[in-house]
């Protein structure tokens, strides 16, 4: 009986473990990519919420300030042009509204509110002149003092509205960059998975399909043409073990045949 060249109590690395390791790498890559993408998307969501909240607060504040100034201006025009002092209560109410809005913005540390506050103080001091001196039909006061102060206040509010939107630009750019960072791991993972799949296909074809084909062809030649079964494998897996057992089985069969003769 021909001795086997190798006697194995176990297998160094089985074909199953090789295939499993390859697919485990795919799973790990997918999990890693998903976790990174989810974290980045969560961060983007938080940034987007912050930007939208800041933009909404800025627009709301600017809109309320403009409405209050317009109402105050309308009341002033009624008192100045029509001598209708019933609008004094409307004027006083809007003064309180503007004061509260600016005070709240100052407490909230709103960026850009300083210019509005300065323009409002100038506007308030100008309109107080009317209430103290009753400058009715004083066209020079209206055109040279009040109209200028009113225009400066409206301009300050509009500049605040514009500057608040411009200030959000860098944050929007940061969100765009984070979006690319969230996509990048997925793209890299897909590329890595494609490479691993090609490698798995290569190794399965090289050490799986071709090896089985080699064993099958050699066994067929032995059964049909009585050619020696001589398959050299170095896979150190189940296929090599199968080839060794086929060779051992053939050797036993030949020895048994010799004894019978």
């Amino acid at each position: 009986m021909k001795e086997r060249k190798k006697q194995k109590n176990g297998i160094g690395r089985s074909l199953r473990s090789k295939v499993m390791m390859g697919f485990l790498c795919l799973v790990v890559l997918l999990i890693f990519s998903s976790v990174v993408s989810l974290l980045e998307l969560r961060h983007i969501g938080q940034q987007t919420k912050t930007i939208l909240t800041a933009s909404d607060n800025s627009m709301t504040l600017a809109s309320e300030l403009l409405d209050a100034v317009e109402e105050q201006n309308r009341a002033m025009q009624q008192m100045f042009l029509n001598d209708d002092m019933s609008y004094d209560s409307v004027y006083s109410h809007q003064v309180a509204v503007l004061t509260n809005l600016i005070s709240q913005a100052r407490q909230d540390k709103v960026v850009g509110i300083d210019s509005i506050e300065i323009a409002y103080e100038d506007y308030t001091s100008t309109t107080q002149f009317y209430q103290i001196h009753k400058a009715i039909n004083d066209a020079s006061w209206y055109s040279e003092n009040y109209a200028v102060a009113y225009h400066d206040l409206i301009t300050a509010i509009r500049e605040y509205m514009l500057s608040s939107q411009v200030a959000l630009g860098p944050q929007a750019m940061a969100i765009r960059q984070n979006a690319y960072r969230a996509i990048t791991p997925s793209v890299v993972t897909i590329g890595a998975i494609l490479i691993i799949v090609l490698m798995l296909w290569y190794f399965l074809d090289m050490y799986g399909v071709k090896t089985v084909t080699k064993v099958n062809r050699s066994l067929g030649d032995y059964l049909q043409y009585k050619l020696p079964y001589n398959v050299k494998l170095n896979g150190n897996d189940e296929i090599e073990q199968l080839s060794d057992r086929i060779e051992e089985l053939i050797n036993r069969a030949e020895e048994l045949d010799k004894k019978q003769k």
Side-chain angles (χ1 to χ4, degrees), residues 78-246:
Q78 290 295 327
M79 290 188 292
F80 181 81
L81 299 176
N82 299 328
D83 196 19
D84 187 354
M85 300 307 296
S86 64
Y87 278 87
D88 185 64
S89 60
V90 177
Y91 169 82
S92 300
H93 174 70
Q94 296 306 322
V95 169
V97 171
L98 277 169
T99 302
N100 290 334
L101 287 172
I102 293 175
S103 297
Q104 184 62 45
R106 191 188 308 115
Q107 292 177 4
D108 295 340
K109 298 181 180 180
V110 176
V111 178
I113 199 65
D114 295 340
S115 59
I116 297 178
E117 190 173 2
I118 294 172
Y120 178 64
E121 289 177 357
D122 182 59
Y123 176 78
T124 302
S125 63
T126 302
T127 54
Q128 284 178 348
F129 173 84
Y130 170 79
Q131 291 183 314
I132 295 173
H133 297 280
K134 303 298 182 182
I136 299 175
N137 296 325
D138 187 348
S140 61
W141 172 85
Y142 187 85
S143 60
E144 295 176 5
N145 298 96
Y146 175 78
V148 173
Y150 170 74
H151 178 267
D152 290 344
L153 179 57
I154 291 294
T155 301
I157 296 173
R158 289 174 178 170
E159 287 179 351
Y160 160 75
M161 184 186 300
L162 179 62
S163 64
S164 64
Q165 297 305 308
V166 172
L168 297 176
Q171 299 182 25
M173 184 61 67
I175 289 180
R176 182 180 178 183
Q177 293 174 351
N178 288 338
Y180 283 123
R181 287 195 310 185
I183 296 173
T184 300
S186 298
V187 174
V188 173
T189 301
I190 291 173
I193 289 175
L194 288 175
I195 294 173
I196 292 175
V197 168
L198 291 175
M199 290 176 62
L200 283 175
W201 174 82
Y202 171 78
F203 285 116
L204 286 175
D205 182 68
M206 179 63 67
Y207 298 105
V209 177
K210 288 185 177 180
T211 303
V212 171
T213 302
K214 187 177 181 180
V215 171
N216 182 59
R217 185 185 299 114
S218 183
L219 181 60
D221 290 341
Y222 170 77
L223 294 175
Q224 187 172 0
Y225 305 109
K226 298 299 180 180
L227 295 176
Y229 180 84
N230 187 15
V231 179
K232 303 297 183 182
L233 300 177
N234 295 315
N236 198 26
D237 54 23
E238 290 90 346
I239 297 178
E240 183 182 0
Q241 188 181 48
L242 176 63
S243 178
D244 290 340
R245 288 176 176 174
I246 290 174

